[in-house]
Amino acid sequence: MSVQQPAWKVPDPIAAEPVLKIYNSLTRTKDILRRIMTDYFGYDVHFVMNVTDIDDKIILRARQNHLLENFRAQTKLLSAELVDQVLSAWRTHVREKVGKGLPEAERPREGEEESAWPRLAGLVQDKAWKQECLKRDEKFDMYFSSATRALAAVHTAQSRLDKGDTGVDAAQQVIDDSKDIVAPALDFQLSATVTDPAISRSLAAFWEGQFFKDMARLRVRDPDTVTRVTEYVPEIVAFVERIVKNGFGYEAEGSVYFDTRAFDNADGHDYAKLEPWSKGNRDLLEDGEGALSKKSGSRSASDFALWKASRPGEPSWPSPWGQGRPGWHIECSVMASAVLGDNMDIHSGGIDLAFPHHDNEMAQSEAYHNCGSWVNYFIHTGHLHIEGLKMSKSLKNFITIDEILEKYTARQLRLAFLTQLWNAKVDFSESLMTGEVRGLELTINNFFTVVKALVNQAHAEFTKSDGHHHYEAAESELTINFYESQSKFRAALCDSFNTPAALDVLRDLISKTNVYINSRGKNLNVGVVENSARWIGQMLRMFGLGEGENQEIGWGQEGQEGGTINREEILMPYLRQLSSFRDGVRRLAIEKSESSLKNMLALCDKLRDVDLIPLGVALDDQEGKHYGKALVKLVPPADLIKVRDDKRAQAEAKAAKKAAAAEAERLKRQQKLEKGRVPPEEYFKPPNVAEGTYSSWDDSGLPLTGGDGKELSKNQTKKAQKDWTSQKKLHEEYIAWKKQTE
């Protein structure tokens, strides 16, 4: 019988492993979630980005821009006709745009716009009145501001006309200052003349390019696949045809609509899964169809366009129903289906797109594929708020990437997103950026700086064992904290990507590691500290806060650029300082003067306090076990220069305060000495006292009688003797001081 191993007991798990849960709610940054899924959880993610390069808003904006540019180029003269044209557009704007937010009684009728404006301009200064207008129309402030600018431009133009200034600059100035109201007026008159599809496509292409440039600056990873609507029009036509064939679409006046009632009544289908309570919301339904849409042929208010018959001034493509263009909702369904098939795991987008856009996407896709579930999870992007107010381009309340990167780094922006829950709105504010974000960044920077210096020092000073293992209770406690932090970090990310909680875990581990470093002194176990620091850096890079090797200590680099490293450019500044220091030490050693030792120490201080600071090198003199050896740190030069300049300013302020105190003391003593200039024999005589104060004195100058000839009282005589004695002492000090200064 052969010898066999005993049965092996399968170990029981210490604790249940957390499972990733995603809640269908709000999120703001898809790139961070994508990185967590791929770089932390290890999912294979195929990220598809759809680019809408043809829809009502793009058509309208491109057409208006085109008409405005042509109008500006063709206008060579400031004339009364031009001013009247702008003024007419202004009147229409006041009635139709500004008027939407005004109380019924304040809405000017045609012909009353100019006479009503001064009163409106006064009322708008009342915050409560203005707030009520914004409740009626959230774009009221934008429309009112546009009207104010345009009217001011008209008045300026009229003044220039009166002075005979009719040049092209004056003409273009009034157009530029009133473009927000002139462009819609031109579009109303001339929209049918714009027929080239390239006009709208070029606008979309320009902003697509700008978008990807900005994403690169923010270190947002490129999508795996980019799809554009104009590249998928034949597929869209075929997609719509099948929906009609399956009984969920119908043609009306050259357009094709999705039959929401037929879909909702069909077995296995439900319309508006995401927001069933919004089914009858006419405002949302109309907004979802676009500003250029007319639904005169639809059977129900909930039915939406799959294919739109094009009108003059709109791009068009051939279809079985005539010339037309894709509806807005259909594009994502077609392009996503073309790449991902009849089902996708995660669909993301803005929370404002949940209904009707995403609900319509799901309905038409499930109608096409004859399936009950086209998307497994929806992750919606929350609105960005600036100082508590929703950021909106249409409201002109927004910050561009260029503007934000002038004040903050890409890392700081990403940290700001990470500090907030993804199922809440993004609240971007100065207090957040200058407070929590910069404070957290500084804490992490200081931690990495110290740990890297300790690790480099330990590697440079590798020695034999000192007979102690340096793994005692403190090291064991920090190691346990490290493992617990890893578990808590995973649990936080499994809890619907709770990045604020995950950051708190990293912050807490940094704090505990710092306490350990500060308490262990010469018994510090660098390896235990290094393990925590490397993992923290790896997690920060996973969040996209830096790039680099997985195991390096620190954030990593701001960005990885290709190309070879210029060793001379990097090393020469340091080598020059090293060579200069060596030259100074050799010179002093050769001189062998009595002050050589003192001068060598001064040279060392200069290297530390002057020469290495612009290079970002800090040398910290150490005590104890490492006495006589400096701890080398790499720190941003600007930080070192600021610390040095602050210390210098404090020292100068202290010296100035000391000098001021000394000067005050000198003046005080000089005043006292000047008082002793008068001999005691003359102290009680004019002009040192008022004429007639005393009438007789003894030989030493003490007064005997007052001005009235009467003998002084005992108290008066006693006081005079005391004052005479004090003056004698002061006079003697004055005589001695004069001899010293002569």
Side-chain angles (χ1 to χ4, degrees), residues 237-257:
V237 170
F239 202 93
V240 173
E241 284 186 295
R242 182 185 288 190
I243 292 174
V244 173
K245 182 179 178 181
N246 289 346
F248 299 114
Y250 59 91
E251 185 270 339
E253 300 178 7
S255 295
V256 180
Y257 295 95

Side-chain angles (χ1 to χ4, degrees), residues 302-351:
S302 297
D303 292 354
F304 55 90
L306 299 170
W307 182 263
K308 297 180 179 182
S310 290
R311 291 177 294 170
E314 299 177 4
S316 64
W317 287 264
S319 79
W321 315 283
Q323 290 292 116
R325 57 187 177 88
W328 176 36
H329 313 294
I330 196 68
E331 59 188 52
C332 297
S333 295
V334 175
M335 294 188 289
S337 295
V339 178
L340 301 175
D342 60 3
N343 177 263
M344 73 173 80
D345 290 303
I346 298 174
H347 190 317
S348 62
I351 183 57

Side-chain angles (χ1 to χ4, degrees), residues 578-634:
L578 178 62
S579 177
S580 176
F581 177 75
R582 175 181 176 275
D583 294 343
V585 171
R586 289 185 74 250
R587 185 178 63 254
L588 292 171
I590 293 170
E591 289 176 358
K592 297 181 180 179
S593 66
E594 292 181 359
S595 61
S596 290
L597 184 59
K598 180 181 178 182
N599 292 339
M600 282 185 188
L601 291 175
L603 202 61
C604 291
D605 290 344
K606 177 177 177 292
L607 179 70
R608 178 194 61 197
D609 300 334
V610 178
D611 300 330
L612 292 181
I613 282 181
L615 300 175
V617 179
L619 301 180
D620 287 357
D621 295 330
Q622 301 181 96
E623 301 293 337
K625 176 183 176 182
H626 298 293
Y627 178 76
K629 296 180 179 179
L631 184 64
V632 181
K633 299 179 181 178
L634 292 177

Side-chain angles (χ1 to χ4, degrees), residues 407-408 412 429-440:
K407 299 181 67 175
Y408 308 107
Q412 289 168 339
S429 64
E430 287 288 328
S431 59
L432 170 67
M433 298 304 295
T434 59
E436 182 179 2
V437 169
R438 282 190 172 160
L440 177 59

